[in-house]
């Protein structure tokens, strides 16, 4: 029986959208489904949310034809400064400094506002004939058999394909319906996210202050504006969220310090409760999980979306090679190649962000001396520092071709 497409993607967030473009580029027909309206998913208003994209993620967006559309709105990250802060005292005066000139490839990454990325992905999808984009459409069930997969939509209609990709986020129902279990825990931390306008230039420097309740990231956007990811205990974050803008800023200022001069709130305020979640498997018969549906990490290293783009680059390469060899792209043997490629990188990112959060998010004097010694060691060891810079740029491990900026 003829299927409706080669691939059905459930979830048209950032990862689902990028996956649809990557798979269409290698010659696959894709149906991309999201429950939300396009106008809300890609709203044009400034809202202060942004992503730190690794250099290799930029390479991939370039291959997908999206980077040219967002380049003018991106902000290169030339330096990253990490320091250990104390409650009520702001960041400690000394830090580890990661300087992009220590690697040859260029800036470690780019900050890009969420709205610019979503709009550019949507425009590219609308210009790609091989993608059928169904918004305001909810998938309620799935059935997998030897010959293919079908999904049932709210309203009763069914669609069929050779492969189902779950890009439906941390609470993935695609994974749950396939019986894929998840491990993880709640951090009892919430990230408060907003944008701050400041008097002095940020000089393309990203700052990470490790405060006892959680990290405060100050990430450069264009025009003397920075995106803030400010992590507090969930209880404290709820109190701060309930405050008016003036009181909210009065809480932020002592953590932020005065190194950027006068600061003021720009745009909306958001809050994200944090948890760790890792699917026990990323594949099943005719099914693959990508992005937060496979792994949701702590945002302290800005790695979540970067990991998702790595999944997509690896899955696309595996499927393109399988298709060219005449293999059925939905078989478990093909899909296990993707899982094998991504499992180690993902598990090590989950473990490292989790350990850094546990080591730094407290006021324990013993742990403080250990981490201060660690930061000092990193700062005085050029090879170690260069290794970490390459990691932040996404340049380590066996890189799929799209992340190297190559068309498949
Ligand atoms: C505070 C914070 C800061 C972050 N900063 C960074 C950063 O600097 N750099 C970085 O790389 N990452 C960052 N991340 C991580 C990044 O935001 C996520 O990894 C990424 O947005 C996940 O995208 P996704 O498409 O996998 O999932 P989601 O964004 O969760 O999208 C899932 C989509 O699936 C749809 N859906 C779900 N169920 C169904 C269904 N049954 N039918 C149809 N549609 C469905 C939903 O409507 C949704 O659109 C940050 C995260 C947080 C919380």
């Amino acid at each position: 029986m003829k299927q409706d497409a080669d691939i059905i993607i459930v979830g048209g967030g950032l990862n689902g959208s990028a996956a649809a473009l990557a798979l269409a580029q290698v010659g696959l027909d894709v149906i991309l489904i999201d429950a939300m309206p396009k106008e809300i998913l890609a709203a044009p208003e400034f809202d202060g949310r942004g992503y730190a994209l690794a250099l290799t993620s930029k390479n991939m967006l370039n291959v997908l034809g999206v980077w040219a559309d967002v380049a003018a709105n991106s902000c290169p990250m030339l330096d990253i400064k990490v320091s250990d802060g104390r409650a009520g005292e702001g960041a400690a005066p000394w830090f580890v400094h990661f300087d992009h000139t220590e690697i040859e490839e260029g800036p470690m990454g780019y900050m890009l506002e969420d709205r610019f990325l979503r709009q550019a992905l949507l425009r590219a999808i609308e210009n790609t004939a091989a993608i059928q984009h169904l918004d305001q459409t909810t998938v309620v069930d799935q059935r997998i058999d030897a010959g293919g997969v079908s999904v049932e939509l709210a309203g009763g209609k069914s669609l069929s394909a050779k492969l189902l990709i779950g890009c439906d986020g941390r609470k993935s129902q695609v994974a749950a319906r396939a019986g894929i279990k998840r491990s993880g825990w709640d951090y009892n931390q919430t990230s408060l996210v907003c944008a701050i306008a400041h008097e002095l230039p940020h000089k393309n420097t990203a700052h990470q202050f490790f405060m006892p309740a959680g990290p405060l990231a100050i990430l450069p956007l264009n025009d003397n504006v920075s995106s803030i990811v400010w992590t507090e205990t969930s209880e404290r974050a709820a109190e701060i969220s309930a405050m008016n803008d003036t009181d909210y800023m009065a809480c932020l200022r002592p953590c932020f310090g005065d190194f950027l001069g006068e600061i003021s709130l720009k745009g909306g305020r958001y809050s994200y409760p944090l948890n760790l979640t890792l699917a026990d498997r990323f594949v099943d018969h005719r099914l693959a999980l990508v992005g937060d549906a496979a792994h949701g990490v702590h945002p302290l290293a800005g790695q979540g979306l970067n990991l998702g783009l790595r999944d997509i680059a690896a899955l696309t390469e595996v499927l393109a090679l399988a298709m060219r060899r005449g293999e059925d792209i939905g078989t478990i043997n093909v899909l296990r190649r993707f899982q094998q490629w991504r499992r180690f990188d993902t598990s090590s990112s989950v473990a490292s962000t989790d350990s850094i959060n546990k080591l730094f998010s407290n006021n324990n004097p013993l742990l403080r001396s250990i981490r201060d010694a660690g930061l000092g060691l990193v700062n005085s060891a050029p090879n170690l520092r260069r290794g970490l810079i390459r990691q932040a740029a996404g340049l380590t491990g066996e890189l799929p071709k799209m992340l190297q900026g190559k068309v498949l």
Side-chain angles (χ1 to χ4, degrees), residues 201-217:
H202 49 52
K203 300 184 184 150
N204 296 77
T205 303
H207 293 267
Q208 179 85 281
F209 300 159
F210 282 103
M211 309 298 284
L216 167 66

Side-chain angles (χ1 to χ4, degrees), residues 208-247:
Q208 179 85 281
F209 300 159
F210 282 103
M211 309 298 284
L216 167 66
I218 303 170
L219 306 160
L221 296 174
N222 288 326
D223 304 325
N224 280 11
V225 175
S226 293
S227 172
I228 306 300
V229 182
W230 170 24
T231 302
E232 289 282 352
T233 62
S234 291
E235 196 183 359
R236 179 68 183 140
E239 286 167 15
I240 297 170
S241 290
M243 293 174 183
N244 62 29
D245 288 354
T246 311
D247 293 344

Side-chain angles (χ1 to χ4, degrees), residues 304-355:
L305 178 57
N306 292 303
L307 287 174
L309 293 174
R310 282 175 167 245
D311 295 345
I312 295 162
L315 180 61
T316 306
E317 195 162 324
V318 164
L319 297 184
L321 282 176
M323 194 172 56
R324 285 167 198 168
R325 287 195 202 110
E327 291 176 280
D328 176 348
I329 58 166
T331 56
I332 193 75
N333 286 344
V334 169
L335 297 172
R336 278 197 187 121
R337 291 172 209 154
F338 155 67
Q339 173 165 271
Q340 201 174 352
W341 199 344
R342 292 300 302 137
R343 194 72 194 176
F344 177 73
D345 179 43
T346 307
S347 307
S348 52
S349 296
V350 166
S352 59
T353 49
D354 188 58
S355 319

Side-chain angles (χ1 to χ4, degrees), residues 75-390:
C75 181
M77 276 193 306
L78 303 183
D79 297 74
I80 301 177
K81 292 182 178 176
V82 181
S83 31
D84 197 4
R86 277 161 221 262
E89 294 175 25
W94 66 276
F95 44 72
V96 179
H97 182 180
F98 298 108
D99 177 348
H100 78 289
T101 57
E102 293 193 55
I103 59 169
E104 294 123 36
E105 288 83 352
M108 286 165 262
Y110 293 78
M111 274 305 293
L112 183 61
E113 283 178 42
D114 176 80
R115 61 176 172 154
F116 294 130
L117 182 55
R118 285 185 194 264
Q119 285 167 9
L121 288 168
L122 183 59
R123 274 192 289 272
I125 286 168
E126 283 172 352
N127 288 328
T128 306
I131 304 174
Q132 196 185 333
H133 191 185
L134 307 177
D135 69 339
Q136 301 183 70
T137 305
T138 303
V139 171
V140 292
D141 206 359
Q142 67 206 37
R143 228 180 12 262
I144 292 177
D145 57 40
V149 54
S150 65
V151 296
E152 189 186 326
L153 311 180
K157 194 178 165 193
S158 285
L159 293 168
S160 60
K162 293 179 193 143
L163 174 64
L164 175 63
I165 301 183
C167 288
D168 51 343
R170 290 177 180 228
K171 294 183 180 154
S172 172
Q173 288 304 301
V174 169
R177 283 191 288 262
I180 298 178
K181 296 202 169 60
R182 314 184 74 83
S183 321
W185 44 83
D186 194 2
Y187 281 116
N188 189 29
Q189 286 174 317
T190 293
S191 285
L192 301 164
V193 174
C194 63
I196 294 295
H198 38 79
E199 192 186 5
L200 302 175
H202 49 52
K203 300 184 184 150
N204 296 77
T205 303
H207 293 267
Q208 179 85 281
F209 300 159
F210 282 103
M211 309 298 284
L216 167 66
I218 303 170
L219 306 160
L221 296 174
N222 288 326
D223 304 325
N224 280 11
V225 175
S226 293
S227 172
I228 306 300
V229 182
W230 170 24
T231 302
E232 289 282 352
T233 62
S234 291
E235 196 183 359
R236 179 68 183 140
E239 286 167 15
I240 297 170
S241 290
M243 293 174 183
N244 62 29
D245 288 354
T246 311
D247 293 344
Y248 182 92
M249 289 303 292
C251 287
L252 176 59
R253 269 193 196 91
C255 309
F256 197 104
D258 57 5
F259 70 104
L260 289 175
E262 274 301 307
I263 59 172
S264 59
L265 189 65
K266 189 173 184 335
R269 295 164 20 184
Y270 302 85
S271 76
Y272 298 89
L274 303 183
N275 69 335
L276 181 149
T277 168
L278 180 64
D280 289 359
R281 291 175 284 129
F282 295 170
V283 298
D284 201 353
H285 296 281
R286 302 205 170 273
L287 184 150
L289 300 177
V290 159
D292 280 18
H295 41 71
V297 298
H298 197 290
L300 66 85
Q303 280 307 309
L305 178 57
N306 292 303
L307 287 174
L309 293 174
R310 282 175 167 245
D311 295 345
I312 295 162
L315 180 61
T316 306
E317 195 162 324
V318 164
L319 297 184
L321 282 176
M323 194 172 56
R324 285 167 198 168
R325 287 195 202 110
E327 291 176 280
D328 176 348
I329 58 166
T331 56
I332 193 75
N333 286 344
V334 169
L335 297 172
R336 278 197 187 121
R337 291 172 209 154
F338 155 67
Q339 173 165 271
Q340 201 174 352
W341 199 344
R342 292 300 302 137
R343 194 72 194 176
F344 177 73
D345 179 43
T346 307
S347 307
S348 52
S349 296
V350 166
S352 59
T353 49
D354 188 58
S355 319
I356 292 171
N357 185 51
K358 286 194 176 117
L359 179 62
F360 280 87
S361 298
N362 62 75
N363 221 356
N364 180 313
L366 177 63
L367 290 180
R368 177 177 288 280
S369 347
I370 293 170
R371 66 199 186 219
D372 284 357
L375 288 177
L377 179 69
V378 172
N379 213 29
S380 59
N383 284 339
L384 180 56
R385 221 173 40 237
R386 255 192 308 278
L388 291 170
I389 294 172
R390 292 188 70 74

